[in-house]
Coordinates of all heavy atoms in Angstrom, one line a residue:
R1 N 7.6 -30.9 -11.4 CA 8.3 -31.6 -10.3 C 9.2 -30.9 -9.6 O 9.3 -30.9 -8.3 CB 8.9 -32.9 -10.9 CG 9.7 -33.8 -9.9 CD 10.2 -35.0 -10.5 NE 10.9 -34.8 -11.8 CZ 12.1 -34.3 -11.9 NH1 12.9 -34.0 -10.8 NH2 12.7 -34.1 -13.1
I2 N 10.1 -30.0 -10.3 CA 11.0 -29.2 -9.6 C 10.3 -28.1 -8.7 O 10.7 -27.9 -7.5 CB 11.9 -28.5 -10.6 CG1 12.8 -29.5 -11.3 CG2 12.8 -27.4 -10.0 CD1 13.6 -28.9 -12.5
L3 N 9.2 -27.6 -9.3 CA 8.5 -26.6 -8.4 C 7.8 -27.3 -7.2 O 7.8 -26.7 -6.1 CB 7.4 -26.0 -9.3 CG 7.8 -24.9 -10.3 CD1 6.6 -24.4 -11.1 CD2 8.5 -23.7 -9.6
S4 N 7.4 -28.6 -7.4 CA 6.8 -29.3 -6.3 C 7.9 -29.5 -5.2 O 7.5 -29.4 -4.0 CB 6.2 -30.6 -6.7 OG 5.1 -30.4 -7.6
D5 N 9.0 -29.8 -5.7 CA 10.1 -30.0 -4.6 C 10.4 -28.8 -3.9 O 10.6 -28.8 -2.6 CB 11.4 -30.5 -5.3 CG 11.2 -32.0 -5.9 OD1 10.4 -32.7 -5.5 OD2 12.0 -32.3 -6.8
K6 N 10.4 -27.6 -4.6 CA 10.7 -26.3 -3.9 C 9.6 -26.0 -3.0 O 9.8 -25.4 -1.9 CB 10.9 -25.3 -5.0 CG 12.1 -25.4 -5.8 CD 12.3 -24.2 -6.8 CE 13.6 -24.3 -7.5 NZ 13.7 -23.2 -8.5
I7 N 8.4 -26.3 -3.4 CA 7.3 -25.9 -2.5 C 7.2 -26.8 -1.3 O 7.0 -26.3 -0.1 CB 5.9 -26.3 -3.3 CG1 5.6 -25.2 -4.4 CG2 4.7 -26.3 -2.4 CD1 4.5 -25.5 -5.3
T8 N 7.6 -28.0 -1.4 CA 7.8 -28.9 -0.2 C 8.9 -28.4 0.7 O 8.6 -28.4 2.0 CB 8.1 -30.4 -0.7 OG1 7.1 -30.9 -1.5 CG2 8.3 -31.3 0.5
R9 N 10.0 -28.0 0.2 CA 11.1 -27.4 1.0 C 10.6 -26.1 1.7 O 10.9 -26.0 2.9 CB 12.3 -27.2 0.1 CG 13.5 -26.4 0.8 CD 14.7 -26.2 -0.1 NE 14.3 -25.4 -1.2 CZ 14.1 -24.1 -1.2 NH1 14.2 -23.4 -0.1 NH2 13.8 -23.4 -2.4
L10 N 10.0 -25.3 1.0 CA 9.5 -24.0 1.6 C 8.5 -24.3 2.7 O 8.6 -23.7 3.8 CB 8.8 -23.2 0.6 CG 9.8 -22.3 -0.3 CD1 9.1 -21.7 -1.5 CD2 10.6 -21.3 0.4
K11 N 7.6 -25.3 2.5 CA 6.7 -25.6 3.6 C 7.4 -26.1 4.9 O 7.0 -25.7 5.9 CB 5.7 -26.7 3.0 CG 4.6 -26.1 2.1 CD 3.7 -27.2 1.7 CE 2.6 -26.6 0.8 NZ 1.6 -27.7 0.2
R12 N 8.5 -26.9 4.6 CA 9.2 -27.3 5.8 C 9.9 -26.2 6.5 O 9.8 -26.1 7.7 CB 10.3 -28.3 5.4 CG 9.7 -29.8 5.1 CD 10.8 -30.8 5.2 NE 11.9 -30.5 4.1 CZ 11.9 -31.1 2.9 NH1 10.9 -31.9 2.5 NH2 12.9 -30.7 2.1
E13 N 10.5 -25.2 5.8 CA 11.0 -24.0 6.4 C 10.0 -23.2 7.1 O 10.3 -22.7 8.2 CB 11.8 -23.2 5.3 CG 13.0 -23.9 4.7 CD 13.7 -22.9 3.8 OE1 13.8 -21.7 4.1 OE2 14.1 -23.3 2.7
L14 N 8.9 -23.1 6.4 CA 7.8 -22.3 7.0 C 7.3 -22.9 8.3 O 6.9 -22.2 9.3 CB 6.7 -22.1 6.0 CG 5.7 -20.9 6.2 CD1 6.4 -19.6 6.5 CD2 4.7 -20.8 5.1
E15 N 7.2 -24.2 8.4 CA 6.8 -25.0 9.6 C 7.7 -24.6 10.7 O 7.2 -24.5 11.8 CB 6.7 -26.4 9.3 CG 5.5 -26.9 8.5 CD 5.6 -28.4 8.1 OE1 6.5 -29.0 8.6 OE2 4.7 -28.9 7.3
T16 N 9.0 -24.5 10.4 CA 10.0 -24.2 11.5 C 9.7 -22.8 12.0 O 9.7 -22.5 13.2 CB 11.4 -24.3 10.9 OG1 11.7 -25.6 10.4 CG2 12.4 -23.9 12.0
V17 N 9.5 -21.9 11.1 CA 9.2 -20.5 11.5 C 7.9 -20.5 12.3 O 7.7 -19.7 13.2 CB 9.2 -19.5 10.2 CG1 8.8 -18.1 10.7 CG2 10.5 -19.6 9.5
T18 N 6.9 -21.2 11.8 CA 5.6 -21.2 12.4 C 5.7 -21.8 13.9 O 5.0 -21.3 14.8 CB 4.6 -22.1 11.6 OG1 4.6 -21.6 10.3 CG2 3.3 -22.1 12.3
R19 N 6.6 -22.8 14.1 CA 6.8 -23.3 15.5 C 7.4 -22.3 16.3 O 7.1 -22.2 17.5 CB 7.7 -24.6 15.3 CG 6.9 -25.8 14.9 CD 7.7 -27.1 15.2 NE 8.9 -27.1 14.5 CZ 9.1 -27.7 13.3 NH1 8.1 -28.2 12.7 NH2 10.2 -27.7 12.7
T20 N 8.3 -21.5 15.8 CA 8.9 -20.4 16.5 C 7.9 -19.4 16.9 O 7.8 -18.9 18.1 CB 10.1 -19.7 15.7 OG1 11.0 -20.7 15.4 CG2 10.7 -18.6 16.5
R21 N 7.0 -19.0 16.0 CA 5.9 -18.1 16.3 C 5.0 -18.6 17.3 O 4.5 -17.9 18.2 CB 5.1 -17.8 15.0 CG 4.0 -16.7 15.2 CD 3.3 -16.4 13.9 NE 4.2 -15.6 13.0 CZ 4.3 -14.3 13.2 NH1 3.6 -13.6 14.1 NH2 5.1 -13.6 12.3
E22 N 4.6 -19.9 17.3 CA 3.8 -20.6 18.3 C 4.5 -20.5 19.6 O 3.8 -20.3 20.7 CB 3.5 -22.0 17.9 CG 2.7 -22.7 18.9 CD 1.4 -22.1 19.3 OE1 0.8 -21.4 18.5 OE2 0.9 -22.2 20.5
L23 N 5.8 -20.7 19.7 CA 6.6 -20.6 20.9 C 6.5 -19.2 21.5 O 6.3 -19.0 22.8 CB 8.0 -21.0 20.6 CG 8.9 -21.0 21.9 CD1 8.5 -22.0 22.9 CD2 10.4 -21.3 21.5
H24 N 6.5 -18.2 20.6 CA 6.4 -16.8 21.1 C 4.9 -16.6 21.7 O 4.8 -16.0 22.7 CB 6.6 -15.9 20.0 CG 8.1 -15.9 19.5 ND1 8.5 -15.3 18.3 CD2 9.2 -16.3 20.1 CE1 9.8 -15.4 18.2 NE2 10.3 -16.0 19.3
R25 N 4.0 -17.2 21.0 CA 2.6 -17.1 21.5 C 2.4 -17.7 22.8 O 1.8 -17.2 23.8 CB 1.6 -17.7 20.5 CG 1.4 -17.0 19.2 CD 0.1 -17.5 18.5 NE 0.1 -17.0 17.2 CZ 0.3 -17.8 16.1 NH1 0.6 -19.0 16.2 NH2 0.2 -17.3 14.9
R26 N 3.0 -18.9 23.0 CA 3.0 -19.6 24.3 C 3.6 -18.8 25.4 O 3.1 -18.7 26.5 CB 3.7 -21.0 24.2 CG 3.2 -22.0 25.1 CD 3.8 -23.4 24.8 NE 3.6 -23.8 23.5 CZ 4.4 -24.5 22.7 NH1 5.6 -24.7 23.1 NH2 4.0 -24.8 21.5
N27 N 4.7 -18.1 25.1 CA 5.3 -17.2 26.1 C 4.5 -16.1 26.4 O 4.5 -15.7 27.6 CB 6.7 -16.8 25.6 CG 7.8 -17.9 25.5 OD1 7.6 -18.9 26.2 ND2 8.8 -17.8 24.6
R28 N 3.8 -15.5 25.4 CA 2.9 -14.4 25.7 C 1.7 -14.8 26.6 O 1.3 -14.1 27.4 CB 2.4 -13.8 24.4 CG 3.4 -13.0 23.7 CD 2.7 -12.1 22.7 NE 2.0 -12.8 21.7 CZ 2.5 -13.1 20.5 NH1 3.7 -12.9 20.2 NH2 1.7 -13.7 19.6
R29 N 1.2 -16.1 26.4 CA 0.2 -16.5 27.2 C 0.5 -16.6 28.7 O -0.3 -16.5 29.6 CB -0.3 -18.0 26.8 CG -1.0 -17.9 25.4 CD -1.6 -19.3 25.0 NE -1.8 -19.5 23.6 CZ -1.1 -20.3 22.8 NH1 -0.1 -21.0 23.3 NH2 -1.4 -20.2 21.6
K30 N 1.9 -16.9 28.9 CA 2.3 -17.0 30.3 C 2.3 -15.6 30.9 O 2.1 -15.4 32.1 CB 3.8 -17.5 30.4 CG 3.8 -19.0 29.9 CD 5.2 -19.5 30.0 CE 5.3 -20.9 29.6 NZ 6.7 -21.4 29.5
V31 N 2.5 -14.6 30.1 CA 2.4 -13.2 30.6 C 1.0 -12.7 30.4 O 0.6 -12.7 29.2 CB 3.4 -12.3 30.0 CG1 3.3 -10.9 30.5 CG2 4.8 -12.8 30.1
P32 N 0.2 -12.5 31.3 CA -1.3 -12.4 31.2 C -1.7 -11.0 30.6 O -2.5 -10.3 31.1 CB -1.9 -12.6 32.5 CG -0.8 -12.0 33.4 CD 0.6 -12.3 32.7
H33 N -1.1 -10.6 29.4 CA -1.5 -9.4 28.8 C -2.5 -9.8 27.7 O -2.1 -10.6 26.7 CB -0.3 -8.6 28.2 CG 0.7 -8.3 29.2 ND1 0.3 -7.8 30.5 CD2 2.1 -8.2 29.2 CE1 1.4 -7.5 31.2 NE2 2.5 -7.7 30.5
P34 N -3.6 -9.3 27.7 CA -4.6 -9.5 26.6 C -4.1 -9.1 25.2 O -3.3 -8.2 25.2 CB -5.9 -8.7 26.9 CG -5.7 -8.4 28.3 CD -4.2 -8.3 28.7
I35 N -4.4 -9.8 24.1 CA -4.0 -9.4 22.8 C -5.2 -8.8 22.1 O -6.2 -9.4 22.1 CB -3.4 -10.6 22.0 CG1 -2.2 -11.2 22.7 CG2 -3.2 -10.3 20.6 CD1 -1.7 -12.5 22.1
V36 N -4.9 -7.6 21.4 CA -6.0 -6.9 20.6 C -5.4 -6.9 19.2 O -4.3 -6.2 19.1 CB -6.2 -5.5 21.2 CG1 -7.2 -4.8 20.3 CG2 -6.8 -5.6 22.6
A37 N -6.1 -7.5 18.3 CA -5.7 -7.5 16.9 C -6.4 -6.5 16.0 O -7.6 -6.4 16.1 CB -5.8 -8.9 16.3
L38 N -5.6 -5.7 15.2 CA -6.2 -4.9 14.3 C -6.4 -5.6 13.0 O -5.4 -6.1 12.4 CB -5.4 -3.6 14.0 CG -5.1 -2.7 15.2 CD1 -4.1 -1.7 14.9 CD2 -6.5 -1.9 15.5
V39 N -7.7 -5.7 12.4 CA -7.9 -6.3 11.1 C -8.6 -5.3 10.3 O -9.2 -4.3 10.8 CB -8.6 -7.6 11.1 CG1 -7.9 -8.5 12.0 CG2 -10.0 -7.4 11.7
G40 N -8.7 -5.4 8.9 CA -9.4 -4.6 8.2 C -8.9 -4.6 6.7 O -8.0 -5.2 6.3
Y41 N -9.7 -4.0 5.9 CA -9.4 -3.9 4.4 C -8.2 -3.0 4.2 O -7.9 -2.2 5.1 CB -10.6 -3.2 3.7 CG -10.7 -3.6 2.2 CD1 -11.3 -4.8 1.9 CD2 -10.2 -2.8 1.2 CE1 -11.5 -5.2 0.6 CE2 -10.3 -3.2 -0.1 CZ -11.0 -4.3 -0.4 OH -11.1 -4.7 -1.8
T42 N -7.3 -3.4 3.2 CA -6.2 -2.6 3.1 C -6.4 -1.2 2.8 O -7.4 -0.8 2.1 CB -5.4 -3.3 1.8 OG1 -4.1 -2.6 1.8 CG2 -6.1 -3.2 0.6
N43 N -5.6 -0.3 3.4 CA -5.7 1.1 3.3 C -6.9 1.6 4.1 O -7.3 2.8 3.8 CB -5.9 1.5 1.8 CG -5.3 2.9 1.6 OD1 -4.4 3.3 2.3 ND2 -5.8 3.7 0.7
A44 N -7.4 0.9 5.0 CA -8.5 1.4 5.9 C -7.9 2.2 7.0 O -8.7 2.9 7.7 CB -9.3 0.3 6.5

């Protein structure tokens, strides 16, 4: 139960950070620079 409470609290904090990240994304969309993402296996 204690771990569940901590997980719930962390999810709320992470949602706040996620909203901030989404705000940054929205601001980037206003500036029409295409986004190129690098993905790959670790150590590639």
Side-chain angles (χ1 to χ4, degrees):
R1 175 175 46 79
I2 291 170
L3 286 177
S4 295
D5 291 342
K6 289 181 178 178
I7 288 170
T8 301
R9 174 180 56 80
L10 281 173
K11 284 181 176 178
R12 282 199 300 265
E13 290 185 43
L14 199 52
E15 283 173 5
T16 301
V17 178
T18 302
R19 283 196 295 270
T20 303
R21 182 178 287 279
E22 176 56 33
L23 183 62
H24 292 163
R25 287 198 193 105
R26 205 174 301 141
N27 289 337
R28 284 200 300 270
R29 290 187 201 112
K30 293 178 181 177
V31 180
H33 299 323
I35 296 175
V36 176
L38 295 170
V39 302
Y41 206 82
T42 185
N43 210 28

